[in-house]
Amino acid sequence: MHWIFKEYDHEKLLIFSRSLNLDPLFAKILLTRGIVNNEQLEDFFDPDPDKMHDPFIMKDMDKAVKRIHEALLQNERILIYGDYDVDGITSASVLYLFFKRLGGDVTYYIPDREKEGYGLSSEGIDYATGEKIRLIITCDCGINAVDVIRYANEKGLEVIVTDHHQPSPELPPASAILNPKREDDSYPEKNLCGAGVAFKLIQAYCHHFNLDNELANDFLDLVALGTAADIVSLTGENRIIMSEGLRQINTGKNRIGLTALMNVSRIRSEDMDVTKIVFGIAPRLNAVGRLGEASRAVKLLTTEDSGVAREYSDILDDENTQRRTIEKEVMEEAVKEIEKRYTGELPKILVLYRPNWHSGVIGIVASKIKEQFNRPVIMIAFQDDVGKGSGRSINGFDLYGALHANSKWLKTFGGHVMAAGLTIARENLDLFIEDLMSYSDETITDDLLIPKIYIDSEVDIEQIDTNLLKFLDRLRPFGPGNMRPKFCLRNVMPAYARIVGENHLKFRVRRKNRSLDCIAWNLGEQFPIINDPQKTVDIVFVPTMNEWNGTRSIQLIVKAIKPHIEKGD
């Protein structure tokens, strides 16, 4: 693993630190986040919803608002068409609840992962026709559904697309297309998730008809769930969304369904953060779509009946347990497949496939395989002669671009730089893999395949105190684009080392007259390094406040360890 220290301008650091009377360490952390002046500092520490961009900057927003208003006035039936992941579920919940609150005749539809696959489907259009729907509003899907939207138009249906995935050159024939990634869209925030784009739509509706902004802001808790789960950059407008959404959740005045889901997840309102959403809430919302009907998750998030909330939260929790079992089996099979197929050097991209894999978990497993082998991964589950695939990428490799370059072998594909999905005929698989391997060999450098850890600053042990932790708390919410700062301690003496749990290290480090408690998750193989009483080590860590039996103390969450080497040795 390469340890990479983030670069900063020493002269800017001096000026910035003095002008704002900031501790140089704090100023350095801010500089590595691109904060170089007082205005940026104020925006970062005061993520106010009133500072969001005007939603009407987004292309087609005026068309979408006018068409929806017409539908509400004419009492037309409106169908909210979501996707089966957390982003699609929360997007659909937001639009359904908002327009229902305005008195609309609104219903929702989430496609079946196994029968229909990702996105807008002809089955969904047929359902809408049978339900006498006049207007469909998609969320987190639709941007590349050219043929399906053309089919909807032939059936007399109008479609408004709200999406955030990468558009193909040909846009669908929709009445309005809201997507900040459109080439002809000047909207400043390109990193909104599907729920974020849906939020801009209801925000625009409120602005246009002089409704209270809080009518839209009231849904930022759900938008925050989608934003965190979709792993988008938590900078700019997304930082505002996450900050305000978490503030609402932390107050404890939550929707009945979300409260029930937090209860089965054993998460207190005041403790909710991005990590707990990603690893606690999101897997349960995803599970019902992976193993069955994702519409049950929308039912949970939109219900006003506490009995229904308890029933559906239990269902989500049970199916998440089943999902973990299936996921573990697929993971074990995938690793064995890699070990069997590649006895020498691994290729630059891994493409794994089997007929018996559950298509609902291959995305999660692909992510874990990517982390373990530090390579882009595509996993394909075949049913008969058609395979459904899900891929995850590494920093520096555009997975969507790779699929686009080899799309002649694919039935469908979509996604973005870091994650994408596809369908492929079995007869095209070998040729697809061959061309994809060649493409990867040309575009993935050896350096990209080396794991890297980015460090904000080297520190002295005396700098790790409660003042630092208070400052770090002000940087929340953490996530992509604003990761929790990592620090480096050099030449510290480890002591009291032991392995706890399955593969975790617990030890203390000492330098001068101070020692600190450390925990290193899943780094048991490093035990020999920290168990040598004659040698010091360097560590990369994040500092936290640990509470045990009523006692609070600073604990270092260690991310990397290596023997200390004096310069010149």
Side-chain angles (χ1 to χ4, degrees), residues 124-167:
I125 301 303
D126 291 340
Y127 170 84
T129 302
E131 292 293 312
K132 296 182 169 46
I133 299 295
R134 294 291 304 279
L135 176 65
I136 297 175
I137 306 174
T138 76
C139 38
D140 193 35
C141 64
I143 191 61
N144 294 314
V146 177
D147 292 338
V148 178
I149 291 179
R150 189 175 291 123
Y151 176 66
N153 292 341
E154 292 170 357
K155 292 284 189 177
L157 300 171
E158 288 189 65
V159 181
I160 292 173
V161 171
T162 77
D163 201 352
H164 73 116
H165 293 97
Q166 192 67 41

Side-chain angles (χ1 to χ4, degrees), residues 298-437:
V298 180
K299 178 75 171 179
L300 172 65
L301 293 180
T302 58
T303 187
E304 296 180 358
D305 184 316
S306 58
V308 170
R310 287 192 298 272
E311 176 188 354
Y312 278 79
S313 62
D314 286 341
I315 290 172
L316 266 63
D317 194 46
D318 290 342
E319 296 209 3
N320 187 52
T321 300
Q322 295 177 42
R323 186 270 307 168
R324 285 200 299 262
T325 301
I326 297 170
E327 177 192 321
K328 183 180 179 183
E329 292 173 354
V330 174
M331 180 72 182
E332 290 173 351
E333 291 176 0
V335 172
K336 287 179 181 177
E337 185 72 17
I338 293 170
E339 293 171 346
K340 176 184 176 182
R341 191 183 303 177
Y342 307 111
T343 55
E345 184 178 351
L346 291 177
K348 291 185 175 180
I349 187 169
L350 297 172
V351 182
L352 308 171
Y353 52 90
R354 274 199 183 184
N356 62 326
W357 281 341
H358 196 299
S359 61
V361 303
I362 56 175
I364 306 173
V365 176
S367 182
K368 292 187 174 184
I369 295 289
K370 178 205 75 170
E371 292 296 328
Q372 183 170 336
F373 294 95
N374 203 61
R375 277 160 169 71
V377 177
I378 295 175
M379 295 191 62
I380 304 173
F382 274 95
Q383 185 173 15
D384 297 326
D385 291 327
V386 176
K388 294 180 181 179
S390 186
R392 298 294 182 269
S393 192
I394 57 174
N395 288 327
F397 181 68
D398 183 350
L399 184 59
Y400 177 86
L403 296 185
H404 185 269
N406 296 279
S407 59
K408 64 182 179 181
W409 305 118
L410 303 175
K411 294 171 70 69
T412 62
F413 73 97
H416 46 82
V417 172
M418 297 300 290
L422 61 88
T423 57
I424 185 170
R426 180 65 180 83
E427 62 185 6
N428 291 334
L429 180 64
D430 292 339
L431 293 170
F432 168 67
I433 293 176
E434 182 180 338
D435 283 359
L436 185 64
M437 292 288 186

Side-chain angles (χ1 to χ4, degrees), residues 99-112:
F99 291 117
K100 185 180 179 184
R101 186 175 294 183
L102 294 183
D105 185 1
V106 191
T107 187
Y108 57 82
Y109 183 90
I110 309 293
D112 185 286

Side-chain angles (χ1 to χ4, degrees), residues 226-238:
T227 300
D230 222 50
I231 321 294
V232 293
S233 177
L234 297 188
T235 57
E237 217 162 26
N238 284 335

Side-chain angles (χ1 to χ4, degrees), residues 236-253:
E237 217 162 26
N238 284 335
R239 178 172 173 80
I240 297 174
I241 288 170
M242 280 307 309
S243 298
E244 179 60 20
L246 286 173
R247 187 197 65 76
Q248 291 180 14
I249 295 172
N250 294 153
T251 61
K253 298 178 181 178

